[in-house]
Amino acid sequence: MTAQEVRLCGLLLQEHFGEVVEKVGRNLLKSGTQNLRAIVHETGLSVDLVKKSLCVLVQHGACSFIQGRKGPGSPTEYKAHCDRVLRILRYPRYIYTAKTLYGDTGELIIEELLQRGHMTMSNTVKTVADRLTQSMDEGSSMDYGEVSATFSKLVETHFLQRCPPAAGAGTTGSSQTANSTSAAPASSTAPTPESFPDCYRVPQVTLIGRSKRSLASEEGEDQRNAKKAKMDPETHGDEGIYWQVNFERFHQHFRDQTIISAVANKLDQTSSEIVRTMLRMSEVTTSSTAPCTKPLSANEIFRSLPATYNIPRHILDQYLTLLVDDPMEFVGKAGESGGGMYIVNLNQALANLARATLESIVQERFGSRSARIFRLLLRKRHLEQKQVEDFAMIPAKEAKDMLYTLLSQNLVQLQEIPKTPDFAPSRTFYLYTVNQLPTARLLLQNCYKTVANLMERRLFEAKESKRLLEKSQRIEAILASLQASGAEPEQLTEVEEMITAPEKQQLDSLRLHVNKLDSAENQVDETIFLLESYISSSTKPTS
Amino acid sequence: MAGRGRGRRPFGTDSSISRGEGLPPGLQQPTPVFPVMEQKPLPLAGGEEAEYLLALKQDFRGVMKNLPFFIKPAAAQRDVQRYSDKYHSSEQTNSLTDWNLEPSCLHVSGFQTGDDSPESCRSTSGGESEKKEEHEQSSEEEEGGVKKKPEEEEGAEAEEEYDEEELEEETDYIMSYFDNGEEFGGDSDDNMDEAIY
């Protein structure tokens, strides 16, 4: 929980949940696990507000609670999850991916679940069907069955998962959990959603019919209908079963996409199709933390290639050999049976992609010659200053300058190897080296700081022009109401002219700046994803 | 800037200082807020996907501001307590979450009635320790009652909304009677020639 991460989490919470939740969340992140009284005391907010904020955080999975550690009577303790809050940056990417895979229905399902944290299947289906009906033409409405089918598909491919049944919520003492059917383990770590066998089972839901289009013109009837709908609550057989978005599965998908596009950039389209086929075949058999996919024989790959790519068998073999020999080591050979067994080296691929990112960062900040030195050190591990100058073919004075700049930015480290027990400078080797993992961590923290700075700048710009923004919003509301009530064009132009031309210019430039800053946040998040995946894949204990 | 400020080289590594020279001249003013970059950054990636992602992001933020999860701090104290405060519409906080998933001590009866007024906040913060004990004891009864309560409450609130225009409990006046004129003038009049005071 570094300072930069806490700062960024605070900004994200403030933008999406308000200042109250931000205070509570920030306090939890900085102080670790705390109980309710401590939070109330430290934040100075009222108990009600703190309770509400905690509910919101728990609802969205950003906070978890455990029974007190000091014995059965102690109060519940709360813990905030920093990485879960940082996921908020990636929400647009999740929604867009769902759209590309499952169309508008899938997009809306994921969007609703991300907005609400977790929901039952019936609620989700109804809300999404209503939203789709709003945007469809008059007279047609969305069938619940279609939306349910898309929901089931999302669950089958593991993009959605059930929320784990709450351990300790709703029970007063820990003695009750001893033989409870919710099977909460007695250990202090929270159970993962996947440890429950029903994680991906779609419940039997009785949800037949079509969504009702709400008619804006007949408000009285609509209110009566709404009243009727609320008076008899419909149960659909899945009360208490809540669904949430499975971020790990999305991350797997992003990782696969990155590998495929890297192969396409380095080699060609056909090789990327082969790698895509291999990854698709191993989706269900490979766990998300495996270092490489299960071995696939060349025969299987040949059979599973998409029909549009009818390359002959020997060409496929040549492509596979090419992929194996490539220095990027995306694909490896694991045996000879079945025409050759091939695997995709996931961890290796991530490490290579992270390395390429680091090199490109150095190149863009310090120039291509410094990047040459950086790449050299990555490859050759430890080099003396003289050797660096020789291998990089850069004049001594400039090489020295560049090395010292990189050293001061902590991208390059100095290793001293003494010849004598006293570290006399004339009798010590000074070797320059680059360690990929710590450098990746450093740049990841820089990325967090960058996003936090971008957000602060965006909030600052909006605050500066707050008066102007409010005025323009009022004008838009007036225009909308005028148009709805059918006014003449002269009145519309009169209202539009209430904003003067320089104000319009100011508004346009403000919009441009805000869009740029937002777009930059999205882009930095791509780098964050890559570096985070690399770091988590290389710090896992390898069996 | 020859070796000044943060992120610069360690002192003795400046190649322009050779042996025997004095120290460089001292700094006369603070370092610039935005130092000049040697390399200009690359332009942002444009394209359809980036714009769609941008639109998604801004929409999401806008929607989140209107959901019940966006908790605003207690409304600013009015100078005088008014009778109409009771009848201003309050959020439906009972639809916030399923209470079975929250720990028992977070069940607040104030949630169900959606009572956010500053008075209740002040009174609860005064008696917070008593309230907590009371909740821990009554959590079991609340557990059973909680599920029925949201449904009851939803029915009652819906009725309230529906009847807002005509009937209101305890009062004979329609809701627009309690508007205190703050929203007046937001919509335009048909005749723009008259000055609005």
Side-chain angles (χ1 to χ4, degrees):
Chain A
M1 217 77 33
T2 65
Q4 297 301 335
E5 287 175 7
V6 172
R7 180 174 161 228
L8 180 55
C9 289
L11 283 167
L12 285 168
L13 287 174
Q14 184 186 344
E15 281 219 312
H16 289 93
F17 298 111
E19 287 174 2
V20 177
V21 178
E22 186 231 339
K23 265 203 205 140
V24 173
R26 202 186 256 259
N27 179 282
L28 273 176
L29 284 168
K30 279 205 275 219
S31 331
T33 318
Q34 279 192 320
N35 60 16
L36 184 62
R37 290 294 298 277
I39 302 174
V40 172
H41 176 70
E42 284 191 20
T43 54
L45 297 166
S46 73
V47 183
D48 268 345
L49 284 180
V50 173
K51 285 189 188 182
K52 263 198 216 175
S53 318
L54 286 171
C55 284
V56 169
L57 286 172
V58 172
Q59 166 88 0
H60 281 84
C63 171
S64 59
F65 53 89
I66 46 173
Q67 284 301 332
R69 294 169 287 181
K70 296 192 193 135
S74 60
T76 340
E77 300 193 327
Y78 302 93
K79 184 174 165 195
H81 300 289
C82 182
D83 50 348
R84 177 63 183 82
V85 181
L86 291 173
R87 295 286 157 266
I88 298 182
L89 272 179
R90 214 163 289 157
Y91 282 1
R93 214 170 153 193
Y94 298 141
I95 302 174
Y96 183 70
T97 308
K99 184 188 172 91
T100 49
L101 292 175
Y102 293 102
D104 284 340
T105 321
E107 177 192 7
L108 286 180
I109 293 177
I110 298 286
E111 195 177 338
E112 281 295 316
L113 277 171
L114 285 174
Q115 280 170 5
R116 305 260 165 186
H118 51 244
M119 278 215 289
T120 59
M121 177 170 171
S122 39
N123 266 344
T124 322
V125 168
K126 273 193 267 188
T127 326
V128 170
D130 287 339
R131 276 181 75 176
L132 281 169
T133 313
Q134 295 286 344
S135 57
M136 282 164 81
D137 311 320
E138 284 289 330
S140 59
S141 67
M142 195 69 191
D143 188 24
Y144 287 154
E146 278 181 53
V147 184
S148 302
T150 316
F151 194 98
S152 313
K153 264 192 273 177
L154 278 166
V155 173
E156 268 167 32
T157 43
H158 292 201
F159 281 109
L160 295 178
Q161 64 187 181
R162 285 201 200 188
C163 299
T171 61
T172 44
S174 54
S175 53
Q176 287 195 19
T177 59
N179 28 349
S180 68
T181 49
S182 57
S187 67
S188 55
T189 55
T192 63
E194 302 222 330
S195 54
F196 295 99
D198 285 344
C199 183
Y200 297 112
R201 192 165 63 87
V202 182
Q204 282 298 329
V205 170
T206 58
L207 198 63
I208 315 162
R210 314 185 75 89
S211 73
K212 303 181 201 18
R213 171 186 294 278
S214 63
L215 308 159
S217 49
E218 310 176 36
E219 282 188 14
E221 198 185 293
D222 182 38
Q223 281 191 3
R224 253 176 270 131
N225 279 342
K227 175 188 172 180
K228 241 189 245 162
K230 281 184 187 159
M231 286 304 264
D232 39 87
E234 308 156 36
T235 55
H236 299 284
D238 70 337
E239 261 55 32
I241 303 178
Y242 290 93
W243 297 87
Q244 64 187 16
V245 175
N246 183 4
F247 296 119
E248 281 308 313
R249 179 68 183 88
F250 273 106
H251 294 166
Q252 254 184 291
H253 185 262
F254 293 156
R255 181 195 63 193
D256 294 346
Q257 291 295 107
T258 322
I259 294 178
I260 293 168
S261 65
V263 174
N265 283 338
K266 185 119 198 274
L267 299 174
D268 73 338
Q269 186 67 18
T270 319
S271 334
S272 77
E273 281 304 319
I274 296 173
V275 176
R276 190 200 298 267
T277 315
M278 289 174 75
L279 284 168
R280 202 167 13 101
M281 288 160 66
S282 349
E283 250 171 22
V284 279
T285 53
T286 316
S287 74
S288 60
T289 56
C292 49
T293 59
K294 293 260 177 333
L296 297 164
S297 70
N299 297 327
E300 283 174 0
I301 301 174
F302 183 62
R303 274 199 298 268
S304 320
L305 274 181
T308 46
Y309 276 90
N310 47 357
I311 51 177
R313 179 58 200 273
H314 61 277
I315 302 278
L316 170 72
D317 286 335
Q318 283 178 357
Y319 266 112
L320 283 169
T321 322
L322 213 65
L323 279 167
V324 168
D325 288 338
D326 188 73
M328 288 291 252
E329 288 182 33
F330 285 120
V331 174
K333 193 156 187 184
E336 293 294 343
S337 60
M341 303 290 278
Y342 296 94
I343 55 172
V344 178
N345 292 320
L346 297 166
N347 277 6
Q348 189 70 23
L350 276 175
N352 285 332
L353 288 168
R355 184 165 50 84
T357 309
L358 298 182
E359 288 170 7
S360 127
I361 291 177
V362 171
Q363 180 168 341
E364 292 305 323
R365 279 186 78 186
F366 300 106
S368 51
R369 296 208 285 180
S370 303
R372 205 184 324 156
I373 294 180
F374 187 80
R375 273 198 292 268
L376 187 67
L377 285 169
L378 268 174
R379 234 141 270 196
K380 300 265 189 185
R381 310 299 174 87
H382 293 271
L383 286 177
E384 275 190 326
Q385 180 156 343
K386 188 79 180 48
Q387 289 174 303
V388 170
E389 292 162 18
D390 288 339
F391 282 125
M393 295 181 286
I394 297 177
K397 201 149 193 260
E398 290 164 25
K400 194 158 93 151
D401 244 354
M402 288 176 202
L403 265 174
Y404 289 155
T405 315
L406 287 175
L407 187 65
S408 68
Q409 299 286 339
N410 267 329
L411 292 165
V412 158
Q413 278 86 43
L414 202 54
Q415 171 78 32
E416 295 161 6
I417 301 188
K419 291 189 218 171
T420 54
D422 58 340
F423 278 65
S426 56
R427 291 190 290 271
T428 319
F429 288 116
Y430 289 101
L431 299 176
Y432 291 97
T433 182
V434 175
N435 292 322
Q436 195 171 328
L437 191 55
T439 314
R441 277 193 229 261
L442 172 75
L443 288 173
L444 181 63
Q445 294 303 317
N446 277 359
C447 287
Y448 290 141
K449 186 171 175 185
T450 310
V451 181
N453 285 348
L454 286 167
M455 289 177 81
E456 286 209 6
R457 180 73 198 192
R458 178 162 49 82
L459 292 171
F460 171 77
E461 297 255 332
K463 204 162 69 155
E464 287 272 295
S465 323
K466 194 165 135 177
R467 195 196 125 269
L468 194 57
L469 273 173
E470 281 175 2
K471 178 174 176 185
S472 83
Q473 273 169 6
R474 267 206 314 271
I475 304 269
E476 274 171 30
I478 296 174
L479 270 176
S481 66
L482 270 186
Q483 273 174 347
S485 59
E488 299 128 23
E490 293 92 37
Q491 287 176 322
L492 291 175
T493 41
E494 262 193 72
V495 172
E496 274 172 12
E497 277 166 18
M498 283 171 67
I499 304 188
T500 62
E503 281 182 345
K504 245 191 220 133
Q505 259 182 351
Q506 219 180 329
L507 269 176
D508 282 340
S509 78
L510 170 72
R511 204 155 290 150
L512 184 68
H513 290 163
V514 166
N515 283 351
K516 250 197 189 169
L517 291 166
D518 255 335
S519 201
E521 285 171 33
N522 282 342
Q523 268 199 261
V524 179
D525 179 66
E526 287 178 21
T527 314
I528 288 178
F529 169 69
L530 200 54
L531 291 174
E532 271 181 359
S533 308
Y534 164 60
I535 291 172
S536 61
S537 76
S538 36
T539 50
K540 253 185 292 296
T542 48
S543 52
Chain B
M1 298 295 147
R4 291 167 200 155
R6 81 183 261 279
R8 306 294 166 170
R9 308 175 210 142
F11 174 63
T13 61
D14 193 353
S15 46
S16 61
I17 304 180
S18 51
R19 250 190 189 170
E21 259 185 34
L23 296 168
L27 204 50
Q28 305 295 338
Q29 57 193 347
T31 47
V33 176
F34 293 107
V36 173
M37 291 192 293
E38 293 98 35
Q39 316 270 334
K40 293 282 177 248
L42 292 172
L44 285 175
E48 218 183 281
E49 188 182 329
E51 284 176 20
Y52 194 77
L53 284 173
L54 177 67
L56 277 175
K57 182 172 182 165
Q58 291 178 334
D59 283 342
F60 193 86
R61 238 187 290 141
V63 168
M64 289 300 279
K65 288 204 154 53
N66 294 329
L67 283 179
F69 301 117
F70 197 91
I71 298 181
K72 306 176 186 58
Q77 270 282 21
R78 300 277 185 71
D79 46 2
V80 173
Q81 280 179 24
R82 290 156 202 265
Y83 182 74
S84 62
D85 280 347
K86 221 186 339 172
Y87 297 106
H88 279 164
S89 53
S90 48
E91 338 164 335
Q92 282 195 336
T93 46
N94 54 353
S95 59
L96 197 62
T97 179
D98 180 3
W99 295 106
N100 285 333
L101 294 176
E102 310 281 345
S104 48
C105 60
L106 287 188
H107 296 166
V108 182
S109 65
F111 260 121
Q112 263 68 8
T113 55
D115 188 3
D116 286 337
S117 59
E119 293 91 40
S120 75
C121 286
R122 268 189 282 117
S123 58
T124 49
S125 60
E128 71 176 88
S129 52
E130 289 142 2
K131 191 160 196 182
K132 209 174 168 286
E133 282 164 14
E134 180 194 345
H135 271 126
E136 278 178 4
Q137 285 164 15
S138 63
S139 61
E140 284 204 43
E141 293 108 46
E142 259 194 56
E143 245 308 286
V146 142
K147 254 199 157 169
K148 290 187 227 139
K149 251 190 168 180
E151 290 174 60
E152 259 177 16
E153 198 49 50
E154 272 201 44
E157 285 218 25
E159 215 168 8
E160 216 181 271
E161 281 174 26
Y162 169 65
D163 293 335
E164 235 177 54
E165 283 300 323
E166 271 110 45
L167 309 166
E168 186 67 56
E169 60 221 45
E170 298 173 32
T171 176
D172 294 329
Y173 303 101
I174 61 172
M175 280 310 291
S176 56
Y177 177 79
F178 294 114
D179 284 341
N180 47 12
E182 283 175 348
E183 294 91 23
F184 180 71
D187 300 328
S188 77
D189 305 322
D190 280 327
N191 198 352
M192 293 298 288
D193 292 333
E194 281 177 348
I196 301 174
Y197 294 108

